Amino acid sequence: MGMTTAQKIFAAHLVDEPFAGTKVLGIDVVMCHEITTPIAIADLMARGKDRVFDNTKIKAVIDHVTPSKDSKTATQAKMLRDWARRHDIKDFFDIGANGVCHALFPEKGFIRPGNTVIMGDSHTCTHGAFGAFAAGVGTTDLEVGILKGVCAFREPKTIRINLNGTLPKGVFAKDAILRVIGELTVNGATDRVIEFGGPIVDGMTMESRMTLCNMAIEAGGTSGICAPDRVTVDYLWPFISDSFASKEAAVAEYSKWASDADAEYDKVIDLDLSNLTPLCTFGYKPDQVKSIDEMAGQPVDQVYLGSCTNGRLEDLRVAAQILKGKKIAPTVRGILSPATPQIYKDAVAEGLIQIFMDAGFCVTNPTCGACLGMSNGVLAEGEVCASTTNRNFMGRMGKGGMVHLLSPATAAASAIEGKLADPRKYL
Amino acid sequence: MKTFGGPALFLDRSDINTDEIIPAKYLTEITKEDLKPYLLEDLKLPGFDPKSDKTFGAGAVVTRANFGCGSSREHAPWVFEVNGINVVIAQSFARIFRQNMFNCGMAAIELSPEKIDQLFSYAGAADAAIEVDVANTTLTIKGGGREESMQFEISPFDKALVLAGGWVDYADSKY
């Protein structure tokens, strides 16, 4: 019997199996941010264990609240900064170089097919787009990861999702993943890895695959995974060109992590997305999804474009294409947070930022702030945001606020109309 | 051996998420103790008052499916821990929340929908209380003059973490 990608990665990283079904894995990349890591650092210090297992395998960024908004967030940033200096963590990203973790770390080339990756952040599943096993963990798992370079997981089962057909005009990776979550429901993939495949995924950019994998957790999934291929190698080439004679050689090497043809899945779901429409959530759970046809016209107070789900350059490009030469509705606040400094610079160079600003958007520095209601972009009681983020829990972006999840294109169209709107008429 | 349980707090809904357990705005706190006043602050549930003595006097939580979905924030188990709640009993948990509970040496116990219904039949009793014996995997609920016990299953690893007092001590002694 063949193996899935997750099974292959588990087998290659197994350190211990203390009990049947529990696998302790060696971790290749431990990622840290300033909200969940300082408390792990404080606990390690209190235990007299202020050590790191390997400072080259630890990556850290200040991204959730940056620049700091008050004394408490300044303290969190300082704790992470001091710790990174103390342990000589070279891959540490502070003001001026910092961006949203799940956009920044892939952009720096830190993730390779076959890697194991953990972070104290539920959207760590994003990195599965590279054919890695990447999982969000709590602070204690992170602490043990920092100290020992290991983490325990249950034996993974895999749900295979084949995205068949072709995506129609105006329909993007975000719509595809909302469709998948609608299918699986919010806990349909608990203790499962979601493996994305099929012609649509094969044809997707790495950015779009990251959007897919980013929201695996919204169906309860431990990780999302895409098979590494030529697209993966093209993305990683600047970082791996010294290690391989050719891209073909890299593709051949990395393809060993792809699931075998006779791998055993917990479930296989085939979805033909050829007739998919742009989607939008309507409630407080990410599986509460409707067609934009049904949702259009609902008023919104704010449109947010950014986050680890959809703050990448291809997201900004499609939104700018819709916004070019137009103004957003006077009743709406438009906020754009390019996810990393590089994305910001590229967006400036391509003239995208000009388009957003001319349309009436406020452009912030790269940060997670608005997505989880921690800084710049918090909603007031009763306000509604059309958002390219990943989570629509009640009050997520501010107490009493409501969030509709949608694609960057649908967000841009909604900004123009001041209400949820179909992007297809603008493309 | 640590004792688990106490007065029961019944939260009759599925998919209670981490933002409802502890809102993100309090993640700026860097000690567990500072989280204490904010327990379940944003949870909207008929008849539930997050600020009541019943909430803050609880020792065990009984709830439905997919409890703790959403964020990886361990602040969610911590806000229970600092308020004296060291066991949550649900039909199912989100993976990260469940692991965080055991990693902290607390118990996340999964029971069938039928057994969860049985526990909810005590929700009307003002004195409903739950005792959990992790070593013997038994749970006893009392209230309104009634009492019953049931068995539960937890994985041997999760049990070992609870008995070791959490994952840091377990891992540090072993790896």
Side-chain angles (χ1 to χ4, degrees):
Chain A
M1 182 55 75
M3 295 166 86
T4 62
T5 300
Q7 285 169 333
K8 289 181 182 185
I9 296 173
F10 268 54
H13 290 78
L14 190 66
V15 169
D16 187 23
E17 191 167 0
F19 300 96
T22 298
K23 310 270 188 180
V24 176
L25 305 184
I27 303 298
D28 295 311
V29 189
V30 177
M31 305 190 300
C32 302
H33 66 57
E34 88 285 11
I35 301 300
T36 54
T37 311
I39 205 155
I41 296 167
D43 194 57
L44 287 171
M45 291 175 81
R47 292 170 185 268
K49 300 177 195 296
D50 182 23
R51 304 188 299 271
V52 301
F53 82 108
D54 183 342
N55 61 359
T56 67
K57 293 183 175 178
I58 294 177
K59 320 290 175 186
V61 63
I62 295 171
D63 65 355
H64 274 56
V65 186
T66 182
S68 302
K69 65 173 179 171
D70 54 21
S71 302
K72 284 180 178 176
T73 52
T75 300
Q76 288 180 307
K78 183 176 179 346
M79 287 176 75
L80 192 71
R81 191 179 293 128
D82 290 349
W83 169 78
R85 283 187 189 141
R86 197 159 67 239
H87 297 290
D88 197 20
I89 291 165
K90 299 257 184 331
D91 295 316
F92 169 62
F93 301 91
D94 205 339
I95 299 258
N98 58 358
V100 176
C101 50
H102 308 307
L104 184 75
F105 292 146
E107 188 184 279
K108 297 292 178 187
F110 292 154
I111 315 302
R112 298 284 188 282
N115 275 177
T116 48
V117 184
I118 61 165
M119 184 179 198
D121 191 288
S122 63
H123 294 104
T124 306
C125 47
T126 310
H127 306 274
F130 291 83
F133 174 77
V137 297
T139 287
T140 302
D141 272 337
L142 181 72
E143 193 174 329
V144 171
I146 288 168
L147 185 65
K148 298 283 178 179
V150 299
C151 192
F153 292 96
R154 292 186 181 185
E155 175 81 42
K157 292 180 181 174
T158 298
I159 298 175
R160 168 83 181 189
I161 308 262
N162 292 313
L163 302 183
N164 300 321
T166 50
L167 289 180
K169 187 176 150 194
V171 177
F172 301 91
K174 181 60 160 288
D175 302 298
I177 187 61
L178 287 172
R179 171 74 183 82
V180 169
I181 296 165
E183 181 79 20
L184 289 172
T185 78
V186 289
N187 59 349
T190 302
D191 290 318
R192 305 288 187 276
V193 167
I194 305 175
E195 183 177 301
F196 298 99
I200 288 176
V201 180
D202 293 343
M204 273 184 180
T205 61
M206 286 309 298
E207 287 84 348
S208 287
R209 292 178 188 179
M210 283 189 252
T211 300
L212 278 187
C213 292
N214 174 269
M215 292 186 70
I217 182 70
E218 306 307 331
T222 305
S223 191
I225 281 184
C226 299
D229 61 5
R230 177 66 186 230
V231 175
T232 322
V233 167
D234 282 343
Y235 185 98
L236 288 175
W237 192 244
F239 311 104
I240 62 173
S241 56
D242 288 346
S243 310
F244 294 98
S246 64
K247 287 187 176 179
E248 288 67 32
V251 172
E253 167 68 15
Y254 289 153
S255 65
K256 73 180 184 193
W257 297 108
S259 291
D260 296 326
D262 59 345
E264 193 177 357
Y265 292 103
D266 182 52
K267 197 190 283 185
V268 178
I269 298 173
D270 282 282
L271 297 173
D272 188 330
L273 303 187
S274 300
N275 296 313
L276 190 65
T277 61
L279 299 178
C280 176
T281 60
F282 62 89
Y284 298 106
K285 296 197 288 179
D287 62 356
Q288 293 177 307
V289 178
K290 284 184 180 175
S291 166
I292 194 66
D293 299 334
E294 291 177 83
M295 294 297 292
Q298 298 280 329
V300 296
D301 301 290
Q302 179 169 299
V303 171
Y304 181 73
L305 219 155
S307 84
C308 56
T309 323
N310 281 123
R312 298 184 181 82
L313 194 60
E314 73 173 23
D315 302 315
L316 274 53
R317 282 179 182 147
V318 70
Q321 186 189 341
I322 288 170
L323 290 165
K324 190 169 186 178
K326 298 193 177 64
K327 295 275 183 205
I328 65 173
T331 52
V332 135
R333 306 183 297 271
I335 301 174
L336 166 66
S337 301
T340 70
Q342 188 60 50
I343 292 165
Y344 202 145
K345 278 191 265 186
D346 290 345
V348 169
E350 288 187 19
L352 307 180
I353 298 297
Q354 186 77 40
I355 293 169
F356 280 104
M357 294 186 77
D358 287 348
F361 264 75
C362 158
V363 184
T364 81
N365 63 303
T367 171
C368 310
C371 171
L372 75 168
M374 282 202 84
S375 66
N376 65 0
V378 174
L379 300 175
E381 184 92 29
E383 285 192 326
V384 177
C385 183
S387 179
T388 67
T389 55
N390 43 42
R391 203 163 267 167
N392 58 350
F393 297 160
M394 183 181 279
R396 169 79 176 172
M397 292 181 83
K399 197 179 181 84
M402 178 171 194
V403 180
H404 295 295
L405 305 177
L406 32 65
S407 77
T410 311
S414 302
I416 292 167
E417 298 192 13
K419 52 198 182 190
L420 295 178
D422 192 331
R424 289 172 294 189
K425 58 185 159 178
Y426 296 99
L427 285 167
Chain B
M1 177 65 203
K2 196 161 134 188
T3 58
F4 288 85
L9 178 64
F10 293 90
L11 304 176
D12 195 0
R13 211 194 79 199
S14 288
D15 306 316
I16 290 176
N17 65 61
T18 47
D19 282 73
E20 292 170 306
I21 297 168
I22 182 79
K25 64 184 174 186
Y26 301 123
L27 306 187
T28 57
E29 305 296 346
I30 49 169
T31 73
K32 295 180 185 183
E33 207 55 34
D34 289 334
L35 301 171
K36 200 168 180 174
Y38 313 121
L39 175 66
L40 297 163
E41 185 177 278
D42 278 356
L43 179 62
K44 307 269 189 297
L45 207 56
F48 172 71
D49 175 6
K51 297 293 176 201
S52 72
D53 290 347
K54 193 163 172 53
T55 306
F56 285 104
V61 167
V62 182
T63 182
R64 301 287 181 180
N66 197 33
F67 186 78
C69 57
S71 167
S72 66
R73 64 187 69 157
E74 204 159 306
H75 305 68
W78 293 336
V79 74
F80 287 129
E81 184 182 12
V82 296
N83 280 291
I85 297 170
N86 57 14
V87 57
V88 179
I89 302 151
Q91 188 184 320
S92 61
F93 292 93
R95 179 192 64 88
I96 306 175
F97 178 87
R98 184 188 62 214
Q99 194 62 51
N100 287 346
M101 286 287 286
F102 289 114
N103 283 348
C104 294
M106 299 157 76
I109 294 168
E110 288 177 317
L111 292 176
S112 67
E114 295 73 29
K115 284 184 174 171
I116 292 290
D117 281 342
Q118 245 172 294
L119 296 183
F120 268 98
S121 74
Y122 288 79
D127 61 344
I130 288 172
E131 256 179 60
V132 171
D133 181 339
V134 174
N136 293 309
T137 58
T138 54
L139 173 161
T140 305
I141 187 162
K142 297 177 188 174
R146 290 194 292 150
E147 175 177 340
E148 63 191 296
S149 291
M150 51 184 80
Q151 285 285 321
F152 58 87
E153 288 177 22
I154 61 172
S155 82
F157 179 62
D158 292 338
K159 190 170 174 177
L161 292 180
V162 175
L163 299 178
W167 175 225
V168 177
D169 287 337
Y170 182 95
D172 201 29
S173 66
K174 233 181 142 184
Y175 302 110

